[in-house]
Amino acid sequence: MKIGIIGCGSICKTYITEIHRLYPHLIEIEALADLDLERAKSYADEFSVPFAVSVEELLAMPQVELVINLTVPLAHVEVSRKILESGKHLFSEKPFALSAEDAIGLKALAEKNGLYFGCAPDTFLMAPLATCRSLLDEGAIGLPIAVSANMISAGVESWHPAPQPFYRRGGGPLYDMGPYYLTALVYLFGSVEEVYAVGKKGFSERIHWQSPQKEAFPVEVPTSYSAVLKMRSGVTVSLNMTFDVFHSNLPKMEIYGTEGTLIVPDPNMTSGEPRLFRKEQINERDFEEKPVALRKKVLSEYTRGSGVAELILAIREGRKSRMSDLPVHVTDVIESLIRSAQEDAPQKISTTCERPEIWDFENEAFQ
């Protein structure tokens, strides 16, 4: 399928590189578009993409069937709506939208026009989380009871060339990193039923360390959240997400069950080794978690573009994509967490989402 990309920021290079490396037989990048046309032309020259054009020109290209939206979060809904209105399938970077109302609206527009849509993160499709899902389904830790999930970071300003948007509306740890953790939780356990959160702003300003003058810039949104999530399956999740902590030994994600504990690799990455501790090991005086062999191959440590491949295969095969319900539900949960912190009150989640099936990408995407 010939596709286009709107938004030529830093993540664009990762998408192009990984799609060219992994899926040249399945995906052909036909055109790039950006508000800065010279930047689009530079990327097109660097990666041998045939066309660098305006957004309007890209959306008018009849040969382009699907468009990846890599614009800034505040522009996601507007650009995604234009993509769907032009009759093209959509894959968006996270967050899908900043409100459940907008997310539901995009889904309705896609369905009205007979189009498919998907959204990052697609890390749940890959080997580490797929292995963890298989272990849970097989009863490796018995009945899951609780989860500790922690995204602990000092923020993005030490490495990102343009960190300011991460601290404005549409930014913060929940919109930036929340989709990775929440998507993983829904993939593993199903829908979220209710949330309660507290939030705060750790610092009133941040320093852009990559800039020559090390300029300070204001922080406009909360940068730390602690929350409890009640899953419809009965699992309780303790969730911490922060841009305000310089060092921590908290796990990325641990799942506690009646028969043991499962340590889950970083949901932001596409590599990592799950580790398992069974209750029998207490009697054996063996307190080391044991590594679990991955059930699928690792494509790379930081793969992007696999969700696009899964979406294209779903379109070609006329089946439901594994990402069909996730973006709306995850957006609803993020908005509810933020509203809970603002109102100091629990929030019921109105949307639901079935657990997506494990993707056998080795048989589908590489044939």
Side-chain angles (χ1 to χ4, degrees):
M1 182 179 289
K2 290 187 176 183
I3 72 167
I5 297 176
I6 299 176
C8 296
S10 57
I11 194 63
C12 181
K13 287 191 174 185
T14 304
Y15 271 86
I16 296 173
T17 301
E18 291 295 274
I19 287 172
H20 282 175
R21 182 175 73 89
L22 296 171
Y23 307 112
H25 59 294
L26 185 66
I27 306 171
E28 183 178 343
I29 302 173
E30 180 77 354
L32 304 177
D34 192 273
L35 290 175
D36 182 350
L37 188 55
E38 290 305 312
R39 180 161 59 180
K41 289 179 178 177
S42 174
Y43 277 32
D45 290 341
E46 181 178 354
F47 295 104
S48 300
V49 175
F51 298 99
V53 295
S54 69
V55 172
E56 292 73 20
E57 289 171 325
L58 188 152
L59 295 180
M61 297 177 76
Q63 70 271 36
V64 172
E65 296 184 58
L66 180 148
V67 178
I68 303 176
N69 180 0
L70 301 183
T71 60
V72 297
L74 283 177
H76 278 184
V77 171
E78 178 185 358
V79 174
S80 292
R81 188 176 292 119
K82 288 181 179 179
I83 292 168
L84 294 170
E85 287 173 345
S86 74
K88 301 185 188 307
H89 306 291
L90 163 70
F91 184 89
S92 175
E93 246 303 323
K94 49 81 188 169
F96 187 55
L98 301 186
S99 71
E101 181 181 4
D102 281 340
I104 291 169
L106 288 174
K107 181 179 181 181
L109 178 59
E111 292 174 348
K112 175 186 174 183
N113 292 346
L115 298 167
Y116 281 68
F117 70 93
C119 183
D122 53 13
T123 49
F124 75 94
L125 297 170
M126 298 293 99
L129 285 174
T131 300
C132 291
R133 166 70 175 271
S134 296
L135 290 167
L136 292 176
D137 291 352
E138 293 163 6
I141 61 168
L143 180 68
I145 300 170
V147 179
S148 176
N150 307 281
M151 195 294 295
I152 310 298
S153 163
V156 304
E157 58 268 33
S158 64
W159 59 270
H160 200 282
Q164 293 87 344
F166 291 86
Y167 298 95
R168 300 175 188 149
R169 180 174 173 268
L174 279 176
Y175 280 125
D176 180 41
M177 294 300 295
Y180 295 101
Y181 285 74
L182 294 170
T183 297
L185 289 168
V186 174
Y187 177 60
L188 296 173
F189 303 110
S191 299
V192 182
E193 181 178 6
E194 187 175 10
V195 301
Y196 175 71
V198 294
K200 66 180 297 183
K201 188 189 300 182
F203 303 92
S204 60
E205 64 178 24
R206 317 288 286 219
I207 304 297
H208 184 188
W209 295 106
Q210 296 295 312
S211 66
Q213 304 303 321
K214 306 294 187 290
E215 296 100 338
F217 59 91
V219 176
E220 301 173 5
V221 295
T223 46
S224 287
Y225 286 92
S226 293
V228 176
L229 285 66
K230 180 183 177 183
M231 312 298 288
R232 293 184 184 274
S233 64
V235 173
T236 301
V237 180
S238 172
L239 176 69
N240 292 296
M241 308 211 76
T242 180
F243 284 163
D244 299 326
V245 175
F246 299 108
H247 177 70
S248 170
N249 287 319
L250 285 172
K252 299 291 185 184
M253 190 178 291
E254 288 185 346
I255 304 171
Y256 313 116
T258 55
E259 303 295 320
T261 294
L262 177 63
I263 294 86
V264 179
D266 187 349
N268 181 34
M269 309 304 284
T270 51
S271 68
E273 190 175 66
R275 300 194 311 280
L276 183 64
F277 182 91
R278 289 278 304 178
K279 68 178 185 180
E280 299 84 38
Q281 293 175 244
I282 295 177
N283 298 327
E284 299 169 3
R285 298 189 180 278
D286 176 7
F287 290 91
E288 291 294 322
E289 307 103 355
K290 296 180 179 179
V292 179
L294 295 174
R295 305 293 175 87
K296 303 194 295 184
K297 67 182 178 183
V298 174
L299 301 182
S300 68
E301 183 180 13
Y302 189 71
T303 302
R304 294 296 181 265
S306 295
V308 181
E310 195 278 341
L311 189 62
I312 288 173
L313 287 166
I315 294 167
R316 290 293 190 243
E317 296 164 10
R319 61 166 172 80
K320 185 177 180 180
S321 166
R322 289 166 176 81
M323 295 171 286
S324 294
D325 301 318
L326 274 168
V328 173
H329 186 62
V330 168
T331 301
D332 191 6
V333 174
I334 292 173
E335 185 186 26
S336 297
L337 286 165
I338 293 172
R339 186 168 59 246
S340 175
Q342 292 171 340
E343 299 177 1
D344 191 23
Q347 303 289 318
K348 291 283 188 179
I349 308 301
S350 60
T351 59
T352 60
C353 178
E354 295 183 3
R355 294 197 308 165
E357 294 180 0
I358 295 173
W359 187 34
D360 188 3
F361 65 82
E362 291 178 16
N363 285 333
E364 279 199 47
F366 296 104
Q367 287 183 344

